[in-house]
Amino acid sequence: MSDKAKGNTEVLEKSGLSRRGFLGATAATGAAVAATALGGAVMSRETWAAAVKNPQSKIHVGPGELDTYYGFWSGGHQGEVRVMGVPSMREIIRIPVFNLDPATGYGLTNESKRVLGDGGKWMIGDCHHPHLSLTDGKHDGKYLFINDKACSRVARIRLDIMMTDKIVTVPNAQAVHGLRLQKVPYTKYVFCNAEFIIPHPNDGLNIALDSEDSFTVFNAIDAESMEVAFQVIVDGNLDNCDADYTGKYAASTCYNSEKALDLGGSMRNERDWVVVFNIPAIEKAIKDGKFVTLGDSKVPVVEGRKAKIGDTNTTRYIPVPKNPHGCNMSPDGKYFIAAGKLSPTCTIISTALLDELFAGKLKDERDVVVGEPELGLGPLHTTFDGRGNAYTTLFIDSQVVKWNIDEAVRFYNGEKVNYIKQKLDVHYQPGHNHATLTESSEADGQWLVVLSKFSKDRFLPVGPLHPENDQLIDISGDEMKLVHDGPAYAEPHDCTMARRDQIRPKKIWDRNDPYFAETVKLAEKDGINLETDNRIIRDGNKVRIYMVSMAPSYGINEFTVKQGDEVTITITNIDKIEDLTHGFCIVNQGVTMAIGPQQTSSITFKPEGVGVFWYYCNFFCHALHMEMNGRMIVEPA
Ligand code: CUK
Ligand code: CUA
Ligand code: CA
């Protein structure tokens, strides 16, 4: 066990849960313990080093060659998304979402401020779960959605331009965490969990968190309008979620069924639960007027608490051990798999039995559980290869365990079968893992990325703050093979991957793109043709400057404003050449933005001080790029 793992065990021991206690806490049969102890082949350091050094090796993407998969990484509390190439694990670009991005001017330009709305005042985020939209269970290349736990938001990224185009703040909620998409018939809803229990109304008068008026909500956001379509009140809190392949059910894990306010309290129950949401039943309840609204929000809020659902039949609570975390749908649509975290097990829930559960035909909620394999210590998240195998991260054991789902189901039915296929050491303490196309019906079992939380000795030391370690594992054969370590800055939780043919980004902007349509409208009001006009319009103390850019010059090379003016600069890049982006930066003014080919970008600011201020292009665009500049003259008032 690594020192970090030891440290974790100590923490758990202090909280009353020893390593042995874990195993003792569940009714583990001897056979299951034996299966766990078996482990599997671990590729030696020498073998994988040799595999990586071999230029013919599968992961080597040579100069000029393209990766076979797009990877979309959460940028953690950098509040962004990172686009990676897999298997090279090269970071290709970053997409700012909730954060300030000086390179593109995201957070500064008027176009990005319209996207950010009110949330623009924060410019922080905490991204965990990036997910790609689907049609008929397959990635359709339209959108990527991601949560912001820090400010309770969900953002949408348009994959054709790889930019954030809508953000919604979820009302009546604190900390939007788990997020997954409806897969079938298409991504109509973005499902997401508000994690923390808060009082309603949260007015500072009513602060008792154990009262009936304190709860959290499950949310469905309309993927097109990006408005919250409905919320469901639940018992306990909510962690991760997923959706099935019929379009009917979503499920979320709850680790705090105790509604406790401290660590010890939230580990009191041997079992917490998975809440299953019946989407058609929720939609019907809303149609029948069986909902309330909370506070100022107009979002319909449906009752989903056990004791209160009445005839709306919106939810079911399936007991699972213990502080469960990950919730993952298998790509064949058969199972929701909840990772036990404080139990060494995963719970396999059969989707085929959910209709019967909701129809009241089962005696017990646990009757939908068709397997509960013992896998190792600290199971957090599960991913799939499309060949019937599951891969679960074991946080405390610092391993990924490969296991066969149907064999685990047979074991649960009493058959003596060893469902554990292999255990592979990872470095160190893995959170999510993610196999290629695993969240779609096309899971192809080629690559597995393991997002290890600690990197310790895997990279050159960089001071007390370490990066994380994203490890690439070849899962195309019978045996998992670790082939690459890659540092990641604080702190992705999750990633998602699609085949490169499934993502079809534009090479240059469309002049009619909605991203800057509002800016075009404002220019039209000023009688400006953005593609040809270079003009300065004074309107009281508001000055609007319109210009084009074409390598290596701006349409206006000098303009004058007065101290105290509010200045808006709108630039249209009339170059039509792929990869020919210009920048616009005014020195000592905090003004910077990018203007891609055929894009219009604008920025509004109040100049600071008086005098001559040079502006220049900060994207290398031409041999005379250094000469692409001009001057703003600020006259004293
Ligand atoms: S959570 Cu971080 S490792 Cu936010 Cu998906 Cu499990
Ligand atoms: Cu335009 Cu550099
Ligand atoms: Ca608990």
Side-chain angles (χ1 to χ4, degrees):
M1 205 192 316
S2 72
D3 292 339
K4 282 230 169 74
K6 278 182 199 138
N8 277 303
T9 308
E10 268 163 33
V11 170
L12 290 159
E13 268 165 4
K14 273 188 205 134
S15 57
L17 265 173
S18 69
R19 186 183 167 100
R20 287 295 133 219
F22 270 119
L23 294 169
T26 36
T29 67
V33 174
T36 307
L38 261 177
V42 175
M43 200 176 181
S44 75
R45 204 175 178 109
E46 293 72 33
T47 319
W48 68 255
V52 177
K53 287 227 172 69
N54 175 3
Q56 304 306 317
S57 121
K58 257 175 78 177
I59 73 155
H60 183 78
V61 179
E65 289 176 6
L66 301 181
D67 281 291
T68 37
Y69 296 91
Y70 278 93
F72 296 90
W73 256 244
S74 150
H77 31 301
Q78 281 290 103
E80 66 194 0
V81 163
R82 299 164 191 162
V83 184
M84 308 279 289
V86 178
S88 75
M89 301 292 274
R90 296 179 292 196
E91 182 182 295
I92 303 171
I93 209 159
R94 296 183 174 194
I95 303 171
V97 184
F98 303 108
N99 58 327
L100 183 78
D101 182 44
T104 57
Y106 185 88
L108 299 171
T109 63
N110 296 323
E111 296 71 39
S112 62
K113 282 182 167 172
R114 285 176 203 127
V115 173
L116 284 154
D118 274 355
K121 62 179 181 276
W122 308 118
M123 299 318 285
I124 64 157
D126 183 10
C127 297
H128 290 224
H129 301 114
H131 293 292
L132 293 162
S133 59
L134 305 107
T135 299
D136 292 329
K138 299 179 175 86
H139 294 309
D140 57 21
K142 252 178 122 174
Y143 299 125
L144 178 92
F145 298 89
I146 192 155
N147 74 303
D148 167 26
K149 182 167 169 175
C151 305
S152 312
R153 291 176 289 181
V154 173
R156 181 176 82 185
I157 289 166
R158 267 176 56 195
L159 291 172
D160 61 339
I161 52 170
M162 299 258 177
M163 286 179 74
T164 309
D165 85 317
K166 280 202 187 277
I167 295 179
V168 58
T169 301
V170 177
N172 314 317
Q174 276 184 25
V176 171
H177 183 235
L179 177 148
R180 287 299 178 95
L181 309 177
Q182 194 172 22
K183 304 178 205 298
V184 173
Y186 65 99
T187 301
K188 179 179 175 201
Y189 293 129
V190 177
F191 298 120
C192 56
N193 292 332
E195 183 175 342
F196 296 128
I197 294 165
I198 54 169
H200 298 273
N202 196 8
D203 56 5
L205 302 171
N206 153 35
I207 56 164
L209 289 173
D210 55 356
S211 85
E212 269 210 352
D213 299 328
S214 293
F215 49 80
T216 192
V217 289
F218 172 78
N219 305 279
I221 294 164
D222 183 293
E224 279 306 322
S225 70
M226 283 298 279
E227 281 165 13
V228 183
F230 60 77
Q231 302 186 304
V232 183
I233 305 175
V234 294
D235 288 314
N237 76 341
L238 292 171
D239 192 356
N240 279 292
C241 62
D242 208 345
D244 76 344
Y245 280 92
T246 68
K248 216 167 156 183
Y249 298 110
S252 300
T253 48
C254 158
Y255 64 79
N256 192 6
S257 61
E258 300 89 346
K259 278 185 97 173
L261 303 179
D262 59 359
L263 178 64
S266 66
M267 298 192 296
R268 204 181 307 122
N269 294 346
E270 268 315 304
R271 281 177 178 164
D272 294 287
W273 52 61
V274 166
V275 199
V276 181
F277 299 91
N278 184 327
I279 307 306
I282 293 163
E283 290 174 325
K284 181 167 185 304
I286 294 165
K287 228 172 130 198
D288 295 348
K290 292 176 179 166
F291 64 89
V292 296
T293 57
L294 297 171
D296 301 335
S297 127
K298 302 228 162 17
V299 176
V301 182
V302 173
E303 188 53 71
R305 281 174 290 190
K306 251 191 216 186
K308 298 191 165 189
I309 55 169
D311 62 355
T312 57
N313 218 11
T314 50
T315 57
R316 285 292 184 277
Y317 291 74
I318 301 161
V320 304
K322 167 173 193 167
N323 288 36
H325 184 59
C327 180
N328 298 88
M329 170 95 270
S330 60
D332 56 10
K334 283 159 79 175
Y335 310 112
F336 281 112
I337 295 181
K341 192 166 75 184
L342 294 189
S343 155
T345 56
C346 274
T347 303
I348 307 175
I349 294 167
S350 163
T351 50
L353 295 170
L354 292 177
D355 284 349
E356 287 175 53
L357 177 68
F358 276 91
K361 290 185 187 151
L362 301 178
K363 272 205 244 59
D364 191 287
E365 268 91 4
R366 283 282 297 181
D367 291 349
V368 298
V369 173
V370 295
E372 205 150 72
E374 175 155 336
L375 301 170
L377 297 185
L380 287 189
H381 293 280
T382 301
T383 189
F384 308 92
D385 64 9
R387 300 188 293 269
N389 300 307
Y391 301 75
T392 300
T393 50
L394 302 172
F395 181 82
I396 295 170
D397 281 341
S398 262
Q399 288 181 318
V400 171
V401 52
K402 175 180 176 182
W403 55 285
N404 184 278
I405 307 170
D406 285 336
E407 289 176 10
V409 171
R410 278 159 51 200
F411 182 87
Y412 195 70
N413 288 330
E415 226 179 286
K416 293 280 166 271
V417 44
N418 180 11
Y419 48 80
I420 305 267
K421 299 298 148 196
Q422 187 191 355
K423 288 189 173 187
L424 181 72
D425 287 344
V426 295
H427 315 87
Y428 303 89
Q429 265 71 44
H432 277 268
N433 64 354
H434 196 101
T436 40
L437 275 74
T438 189
E439 282 168 1
S440 71
S441 61
E442 298 182 296
D444 66 0
Q446 293 299 303
W447 300 105
L448 174 70
V449 170
V450 179
L451 292 92
S452 303
K453 293 292 184 189
F454 298 87
S455 60
K456 209 168 56 176
D457 50 12
R458 303 298 281 198
F459 305 110
L460 290 174
V462 287
L465 178 64
H466 290 49
E468 301 202 4
N469 186 10
D470 296 342
Q471 294 186 298
L472 184 69
I473 294 170
D474 182 348
I475 55 165
S476 60
D478 283 341
E479 206 180 294
M480 292 185 274
K481 289 179 181 154
L482 176 60
V483 293
H484 189 266
D485 275 354
Y489 189 52
E491 121 165 0
H493 286 250
D494 197 5
C495 67
T496 190
M497 291 178 275
R499 281 195 321 267
R500 70 179 185 211
D501 63 277
Q502 293 178 306
I503 310 290
R504 296 167 300 273
K506 289 187 169 142
K507 295 193 167 165
I508 62 173
W509 285 81
D510 184 333
R511 286 297 306 148
N512 296 317
D513 198 287
Y515 190 75
F516 51 78
E518 182 66 26
T519 304
V520 171
K521 233 195 265 167
L522 292 172
E524 277 165 4
K525 269 198 207 158
D526 276 339
I528 298 289
N529 178 344
L530 285 169
E531 287 161 66
T532 54
D533 293 354
N534 297 295
R535 211 184 302 165
I536 300 165
I537 292 176
R538 177 168 280 283
D539 173 6
N541 65 346
K542 293 196 163 113
V543 182
R544 292 188 288 276
I545 291 152
Y546 295 95
M547 65 173 105
V548 299
S549 68
M550 192 171 139
S553 63
Y554 296 112
I556 293 178
N557 138 292
E558 191 174 290
F559 63 86
T560 302
V561 297
K562 280 205 172 59
Q563 201 177 15
D565 282 345
E566 183 195 274
V567 180
T568 298
I569 296 176
T570 303
I571 302 181
T572 301
N573 179 355
I574 58 172
D575 276 308
K576 284 186 180 158
I577 297 164
E578 181 179 353
D579 205 6
L580 212 161
T581 294
H582 294 292
F584 180 82
C585 175
I586 310 182
V587 179
N588 295 351
Q589 292 291 342
V591 168
T592 187
M593 63 182 179
I595 318 113
Q598 295 290 297
Q599 186 183 10
T600 295
S601 300
S602 70
I603 190 164
T604 300
F605 64 104
K606 277 201 169 151
E608 275 194 31
V610 292
V612 175
F613 295 91
W614 285 79
Y615 53 85
Y616 68 98
C617 174
N618 55 10
F619 273 87
F620 213 113
C621 57
H622 192 276
L624 294 170
H625 154 79
M626 289 300 287
E627 287 81 348
M628 185 165 174
N629 57 40
R631 286 153 312 281
M632 171 176 77
I633 293 155
V634 186
E635 290 176 341

